[in-house]
Amino acid sequence: MQCHAQLSSTFYDRTCPNAINTIRTSVRQAVSRERRMAASLIRLHFHDCFVQGCDASILLDETPTIVSEKTALPNLGSVRGYGIIEDAKRELEKTCPGVVSCADILAVAVRDASTLVGGPSWTVKLGRRDSTTASHTLAETDLPGPFDPLTRLISGFANKGLSTRDMVALSGSHSIGQAQCFLFRDRIYSNESDIDAGFASTRRRQCPQEDQNGNLAPLDLVTPNQLDNNYFKNLRQRKGLLQSDQVLLSGGSTDDIVLEYSNSPRAFASDFAAAMVRMGDISPLTGSNGIIRTVCGAIN
């Protein structure tokens, strides 16, 4: 299923030498306006790659012939950052029209987003092309969810060629970003032993049992705007916000990895970077497959 053959970090060196810098400028401006955008971009790439591969299918708008992924439940009203990718694309079309794919812009943007919030950097492989189709259906079945048990998280990532260790490392992106009240309400009102009582009570203040579904809370209450290993330290204190966060440290096969990352910022950073590269390798369209979109939201 994976096809890494034709992806290469030097793909645009001749055809659009300034591509990387142009993308970085767009991302830097966006993240300096709003730190949370770094998390949003990482999630956008993740939700792209898990549906038909990293092919920018998530960016396609609804048309008479395309049922957009944007309206699928895991994406609707929560995925954001589309405009940042369009901004970078618009700039690139001025200097090298028809050359750089939206899928590659997104892959580069995510690396830049990570570095801008204190996370690791990595070398982005390039040469993905853009899909001419989207899959609303797969977006509703293939994306891991906040209520998933550990076995389902592991198998969901394994289905995409990612290891359990990759899954735990990538979950560390919840060291930044926010979640909506309705996705953690059950957990904070559960009185279960897997949640710190004080933490639950703090979170209840902004997330009542009825209404206020969209109220946001930081996934990492300690350093909400730094991509670091605090997420794993929080799990040790039973302060994971989502069920799918805390389940990583619940007596199962991932406990040791969580403990390792909580003790070693370096182990987390290096595994996170490697896992992001592997996620970017999921089923790319290369060669004569796919197209280079002129506008990311539409097929040429």
Side-chain angles (χ1 to χ4, degrees):
M1 190 189 75
Q2 269 66 23
C3 153
H4 318 193
Q6 292 140 297
L7 296 188
S8 143
S9 60
T10 59
F11 192 83
Y12 297 112
D13 284 8
R14 281 210 200 77
T15 51
C16 194
N18 221 14
I20 305 291
N21 288 335
T22 303
I23 297 164
R24 184 179 292 127
T25 300
S26 291
V27 176
R28 190 184 288 132
Q29 287 168 346
V31 174
S32 66
R33 279 196 305 271
E34 184 197 17
R35 295 276 286 184
R36 179 187 172 209
M37 190 51 77
S40 300
L41 287 168
I42 291 172
R43 185 165 183 259
L44 182 57
H45 183 48
F46 163 44
H47 282 212
D48 179 31
C49 291
F50 266 57
V51 179
Q52 298 188 162
C54 310
D55 60 356
S57 59
I58 195 171
L59 305 179
L60 288 172
D61 291 315
E62 193 89 13
T63 70
T65 53
I66 290 171
V67 185
S68 177
E69 293 172 20
K70 292 183 179 184
T71 54
L73 280 174
N75 297 333
L76 184 64
S78 66
V79 168
R80 49 205 296 278
Y82 302 109
I84 315 306
I85 306 304
E86 288 289 7
D87 289 346
K89 179 61 172 169
R90 202 175 304 115
E91 289 305 307
L92 287 167
E93 286 303 297
K94 292 176 190 169
T95 49
C96 6
V99 173
V100 184
S101 70
C102 300
D104 277 347
I105 293 171
L106 184 48
V108 172
V110 167
R111 185 266 315 270
D112 296 336
S114 172
T115 59
L116 287 164
V117 291
S121 186
W122 56 89
T123 303
V124 182
K125 295 196 261 176
L126 301 162
R128 300 168 193 80
R129 290 164 65 85
D130 298 322
S131 71
T132 53
T133 61
S135 181
H136 185 100
T137 313
L138 288 177
E140 303 224 311
T141 58
D142 283 18
L143 286 163
F147 309 108
D148 284 357
L150 185 58
T151 49
R152 177 137 186 212
L153 291 172
I154 290 171
S155 65
F157 279 73
N159 289 340
K160 304 295 174 187
L162 297 168
S163 70
T164 299
R165 196 174 180 88
D166 290 333
M167 184 271 289
V168 178
L170 291 168
S171 297
S173 58
H174 284 186
S175 165
I176 52 175
Q178 304 188 62
Q180 299 182 71
C181 162
F182 77 101
L183 296 175
F184 58 84
R185 179 182 279 130
D186 286 356
R187 176 162 156 73
I188 61 172
Y189 286 99
S190 69
N191 291 316
E192 297 282 340
S193 61
D194 67 351
I195 186 165
D196 175 85
F199 171 69
S201 127
T202 303
R203 283 290 154 254
R204 284 182 207 138
R205 290 208 284 272
Q206 294 296 315
C207 182
Q209 279 185 286
E210 309 285 331
D211 306 322
Q212 315 287 310
N213 276 346
N215 282 10
L216 294 169
L219 286 153
D220 169 8
L221 71 170
V222 184
T223 53
N225 289 310
Q226 279 296 110
L227 181 46
D228 55 27
N229 72 328
N230 259 309
Y231 167 83
F232 300 99
K233 295 180 182 175
N234 297 338
L235 297 183
R236 294 183 73 166
Q237 296 170 21
R238 296 175 300 139
K239 293 177 182 176
L241 185 62
L242 302 174
Q243 198 60 48
S244 57
D245 293 322
Q246 196 59 53
V247 78
L248 300 178
L249 186 63
S250 58
S253 60
T254 51
D255 285 14
D256 289 348
I257 310 170
V258 169
L259 298 178
E260 182 186 345
Y261 293 160
S262 74
N263 288 323
S264 171
R266 283 182 66 174
F268 166 59
S270 105
D271 282 5
F272 181 78
M276 287 298 290
V277 171
R278 279 193 282 277
M279 186 171 81
D281 274 341
I282 298 173
S283 309
L285 295 166
T286 56
S288 59
N289 295 319
I291 60 170
I292 305 296
R293 290 185 212 143
T294 310
V295 175
C296 293
I299 290 162
N300 307 345

